[in-house]
Structures are given as C-alpha cells and as structure tokens.
Amino acid sequence: MADSDKFHDECGVFGIFGHPEAAPHTALGLHALQHRGQEACGIVAFDGKHFHAHRALGEVGDNFSSEEVIQRLRGHAAIGHNRYATTGRTALRNVQPLFADLASGGFAICHNGNLTNAYQLRRQLVRRGSLFQSTTDTEVIVHLMANSERRGVLDRMVDALHQIDGAYSIVAMTNESLIGVRDPLGVRPLVLGKLGDSHILASETCALDIIGAEFVRDVEPGEVVVLSEAGVDSYKPFRAPEQRFCIFEFIYFARPDSMVEGTSVYESRKRIGAELARECPAPADVVIPVPDSGVPAAIGFAAESKVPFELGISRNHYVGRTFIEPTAQIRNLGVRLKHNANRAMIDGRRVVLIDDSIVRGTTSRKIVQMVRAAGATEVHMRISSPPTKHPCYYGIDTPAQQDLLAHKHSVEEIAEAIGVDSLSYISDDGLYRAMGESGRNPARPKFCDACFTGDYPTALPDKDEASRQPELSNLVERAG
Ligand code: SF4
C-alpha cells in the first residue's frame, strides 16, 4: 500500500523488442518496477500483424499471472506501464499504454513524468476538433502526432514533443520498432538493456536484472532511441542545454538495487547518510532506520558516526489495501499495522531515527510515539533530504503546498509537532556533496531539486488550469 505520508513516483515503463516472449518479459519487468506505481498496469504487444492489449486496475501480479492473459499478448515486441494516477483519474480508459491508429499504422505509447503544458495543448486540440478518449496527459502526444504535418511516425513524434514542456521518459511501439525518448532535461530515468539479440527499455536497471538482461547505458537527456530489426539507432533532436535529473530518485523513489545515471542508488543513500552524520551528529546510543527506505542512509550514518546500527523498527510487508480500518480509533493504530518497535533494541537508549523525508508529518509523529513507548530515553530524528517545501510538477505525486509541513513550519516547529528531542535535515550543499559535487551551484544546479529549493527547471503549469481536472464531457462541449 502506498504510504500517504511520502511523495510517490507516478509511473514505471518497460519495453522489449525482438523476443518471442515479449509480453511475459514485460510483465516481469513491470513487476520489478511495481514500486513506481500500484494503481493500474497494462501491456500492449505486437505480433507482426496485430496489436494485443490488456489493461487493468491493480498490481501486476494480480493481472498478468494468468496464462490465458499472457498467451493472448502474442508477439515479438511489447511495452508496458505501471501507473500511480495523478493526471487523469484512475479509470480504465486512463490506463496505459494508450493505443491509436495513426496514418502510419498502429501506435502504442506510455510515459513516466508529467507534461506541464498538457492542459493548454489539450484545449487547443479540442477546439480544433480532437476527441479525447482519456483524461491523461499522454493522449495529448498522440493527438499532436495525428495532427502533425510531418511524414513518418518518428518525425511526427519529434514534432509533437517539440511542443511539450515538462518531464517525460516515453516508451512507444509502432509496427516496426520500439521508440524511447527522454525529455531534454532528463528529469526522469530511462535505461537501455540487452537480452541476447533483443533490446530493452526500462525505467530502472532492476527491471533488467529480473529477466537476466544486461545494462547497456542510460538513454541520454533529449535522446530518441529506436529499437528495430536493424538494432538500436540514436537521434538527438532536442536541445539539451543542461541536465536536471530528479535528485529524489536517489533519495527515495528508485529501488536501492538499481543503477541510475551511472550511480548505485544504494551507495548514494549510504553516502547521503554519512554526510548527514557529519553535518548533524546526534547524541545517541543507537541508529535506527525508519524502514524500508531509511535503511541505507542509516547504515551510512551509523558507520560515519560510529554509533551502532540496529533494526529497531520492523515493517509488516503484508499490509495491503484490502485491510480496511473501520473506526477512527483503529485508524489511529495505522502505523502499528505497518511498523512495530523492537523494544529489546530501544528500551533505555538514546535513539536517532533516520528517515528519507517528512511530508505531512503524520507517520513521523506516530513512529516517534511508538519508539518512546518502547522505552527510548531520547528520540532524535535525522532526515536524508532537505525539507520538502514545494510540490513536484514532474511526475511525482505530492500533497498541495499548504499540506507540506516544511512549507509552513520551521525545523524547530516540526520537531515539536512530531515530538522529537532534536531534528535536522541534510543541507542542499550536503546532499550535492554526497552526490560527488562540491556543493549546490545555484547558477547551474546539476539536478532537479525543486521540491526543496523551489528552483523549477521548466515553466510551470498555469495554477488555475492545473487545478482543474479536465473532464472529457466538458471539453467536448466546449469544442462544440
Ligand atoms: Fe524530483 Fe523534486 Fe524535481 Fe519532482 S521537484 S522532479 S521530486 S527533485
């Protein structure tokens, strides 16, 4: 179950070309990327003549384990998507990959990210007569392609993407090829892999590992790769003046066993934890991570501070969305459903808790209470990201700005609200140092760090328009 007190990655993408069992490999790839989206999933396969699709609400294991479903998805090429809905509601019509019959033939597409000018483009398209089938921003790309004057699907796609702002890692499929694209800033990840003679695109390398594929390289910011019988072709149609990969992928979103941007996520988290210990040491007898995401940073913190690391909180991995908490009193027990304190590691000790972020603070408060109830004499908290003060517009589900605790409150006020003896966050410079830089260069930051700094690398969506969910019926009426 997604944690309501965390930022959430919205989507994972996967595609494979040139494999006789493309769909089952795609299902496995999506399974490895399940942490990037749990609301819905879909696969479209192509067998040389026909496209076959299966889309469903829910997780991959619940929807792609049946032999009957997999056998229907025949073909040597397939693409797939995990979705955590933000743009467009979670209805089956919004589940990707989307499919369209373009002048050039069948075309399937899915993406990870968020198109910040999608609403304006959609209104223009509807005025010109486009009829949308879904409320996702991805469909805007399809209509822009259908309306393009260019010839050939690749040129139409590039033409469409030139009109788009925001962050996107796209995996698309035609009747001849797979196409992978990263936005010019490279905000969201996309990697290229190889399994025998077949080529693969995936959000993270953990999706290559699950099928025994080898990592070839990251798709570069602004790059278009085409996977076909001829091999892999690369194009650079987009100006890429700077790169702004999402630094939060290293802190929390990506799986610790993935390599992103040539760097081990696990090692990065340990380095961030070590930097945190140097910047903000804590008077403690034991270092305890808030599981699971706080674990690597806590290992780094403990090693640097020479304070013992212990798994003082256990997490129940079997808490699913099917467990409905029936009363307010039971709901207040929520965190104990998910986490439980290990009294033997805590009783009579000064504890430093390591977590990756505090978003609303509700979970942190409950965890601190739980650790105190287990006998901690002091509870200090150290956070391996700077305070999250600003929402994300690039494909991460974040609460509204007024619901972000750090937007309205100082560190001291947050410490009081969550009930700790002391609270510190890693600094912007400390985070960059952990990522191998000398600090954050405000004139040219290497990463997107906008949810900490408010320094957004692209134009933002118009506030009024972004807050309105585009309803299909309204848009059709307006077009008339
Ligand atoms: Fe990542 Fe934050 Fe930038 Fe969003 S705003 S892309 S979460 S760093």
Side-chain angles (χ1 to χ4, degrees):
M1 181 164 55
D3 187 338
S4 63
D5 203 15
K6 293 280 183 198
F7 282 11
H8 293 285
D9 218 314
E10 278 177 27
C11 302
V13 291
F14 185 91
I16 181 165
F17 186 91
H19 196 288
E21 293 195 283
H25 282 74
T26 302
L28 286 168
L30 292 181
H31 182 67
L33 297 171
Q34 191 72 80
H35 61 291
R36 298 186 76 88
Q38 305 87 35
E39 303 275 317
C41 50
I43 294 177
V44 176
F46 181 62
D47 65 7
K49 277 194 180 154
H50 303 289
F51 289 85
H52 309 277
H54 185 76
R55 304 178 190 87
L57 302 181
E59 297 184 3
V60 180
D62 298 329
N63 291 298
F64 289 97
S65 298
S66 122
E67 211 175 322
E68 185 260 320
V69 168
I70 289 294
Q71 279 184 353
R72 252 190 322 108
L73 296 169
R74 289 186 303 279
H76 64 282
I79 66 171
H81 188 254
N82 283 333
R83 174 180 170 79
Y84 182 90
T86 55
T87 303
R89 295 173 187 163
T90 307
L92 207 48
R93 72 181 185 202
N94 284 335
V95 179
Q96 301 185 28
L98 301 183
F99 178 79
D101 261 318
L102 300 178
S104 50
F107 179 75
I109 181 169
C110 51
H111 92 276
N112 171 211
N114 193 38
L115 315 180
T116 50
N117 62 342
Y119 191 80
Q120 294 93 317
L121 287 170
R122 184 184 176 111
R123 282 178 54 176
Q124 289 163 16
L125 285 160
V126 169
R127 277 197 207 103
R128 295 210 298 262
S130 295
L131 288 172
F132 278 74
Q133 303 294 314
S134 75
T135 58
T136 77
D137 53 352
T138 317
E139 195 179 349
V140 169
I141 302 171
V142 177
H143 284 280
L144 289 173
M145 288 175 68
N147 281 299
S148 172
E149 306 273 306
R150 302 265 185 92
R151 289 164 66 88
V153 68
L154 195 58
D155 282 338
R156 283 170 178 253
M157 193 170 177
V158 169
D159 188 29
L161 293 176
H162 269 301
Q163 300 168 63
I164 278 172
D165 293 328
Y168 51 83
S169 282
I170 294 173
V171 174
M173 182 168 63
T174 72
N175 49 19
E176 291 178 341
S177 62
L178 247 59
I179 303 170
V181 192
R182 261 180 102 190
D183 69 76
L185 293 168
V187 177
R188 304 255 73 86
L190 188 65
V191 299
L192 196 57
K194 201 167 185 313
L195 179 65
D197 293 332
S198 51
H199 298 281
I200 297 153
L201 291 162
S203 293
E204 292 181 35
T205 56
C206 61
L208 304 178
D209 296 338
I210 195 172
I211 56 169
E214 63 183 274
F215 168 65
V216 176
R217 64 177 174 87
D218 290 286
V219 176
E220 290 176 27
E223 184 182 9
V224 177
V225 289
V226 179
L227 285 50
S228 68
E229 297 289 352
V232 179
D233 292 314
S234 165
Y235 305 88
K236 305 271 177 63
F238 304 110
R239 205 167 49 88
E242 53 178 343
Q243 300 185 8
R244 298 289 291 277
F245 184 71
C246 167
I247 203 164
F248 224 137
E249 292 277 356
F250 287 109
I251 297 166
Y252 173 65
F253 302 135
R255 256 176 53 163
D257 51 339
S258 282
M259 298 281 295
V260 292
E261 298 292 286
T263 304
S264 153
V265 173
Y266 180 78
E267 290 290 341
S268 304
R269 287 180 191 165
K270 276 184 19 182
R271 284 199 306 273
I272 295 170
E275 186 65 38
L276 184 62
R278 283 191 287 275
E279 278 195 340
C280 337
D285 305 308
V286 61
V287 176
I288 293 180
V290 176
D292 293 322
S293 50
V295 172
I299 292 172
F301 190 100
E304 180 65 24
S305 57
K306 312 236 174 347
V307 175
F309 168 94
E310 297 290 357
L311 292 172
I313 300 174
S314 294
R315 182 170 164 201
N316 183 347
H317 290 263
Y318 301 99
V319 179
R321 61 187 62 243
T322 47
F323 191 96
I324 312 286
E325 296 143 281
T327 67
Q329 201 183 1
I330 297 289
R331 272 195 295 281
N332 283 336
L333 288 176
V335 75
R336 298 228 184 148
L337 277 179
K338 204 167 176 185
H339 296 115
N340 192 30
N342 182 350
R343 178 174 279 274
M345 293 300 113
I346 292 175
D347 197 13
R349 292 182 177 174
R350 297 171 302 165
V351 171
V352 56
L353 292 172
I354 311 292
D355 204 353
D356 51 74
S357 54
I358 298 176
V359 177
R360 289 188 169 95
T362 44
T363 304
S364 306
R365 191 164 38 240
K366 288 178 186 170
I367 284 180
V368 172
Q369 281 169 1
M370 188 179 74
V371 170
R372 286 202 190 280
T377 55
E378 290 176 25
V379 182
H380 304 272
M381 190 170 262
R382 298 293 179 264
I383 304 296
S384 64
S385 67
T388 41
K389 296 180 181 170
H390 307 273
C392 176
Y393 297 106
Y394 305 127
I396 300 299
D397 181 41
T398 48
Q401 190 160 24
Q402 63 271 18
D403 293 329
L404 295 170
L405 202 57
H407 172 63
K408 287 188 294 197
H409 298 284
S410 67
V411 174
E412 292 73 27
E413 287 168 342
I414 296 172
E416 199 179 326
I418 64 173
V420 286
D421 295 290
S422 77
L423 169 69
S424 300
Y425 295 78
I426 196 165
S427 68
D428 295 344
D429 281 334
L431 181 57
Y432 272 75
R433 277 196 297 274
M435 297 308 301
E437 304 289 302
S438 55
R440 182 179 191 269
N441 175 356
R444 208 175 170 78
K446 184 174 173 190
F447 297 98
C448 176
D449 50 25
C451 47
F452 314 126
T453 60
D455 178 3
Y456 292 95
T458 70
L460 295 186
D462 176 278
K463 273 201 176 125
D464 292 338
E465 299 201 332
S467 64
R468 289 207 299 260
Q469 277 285 343
E471 266 304 312
L472 201 61
S473 54
N474 291 345
L475 289 164
V476 173
E477 268 174 35
R478 269 186 230 133

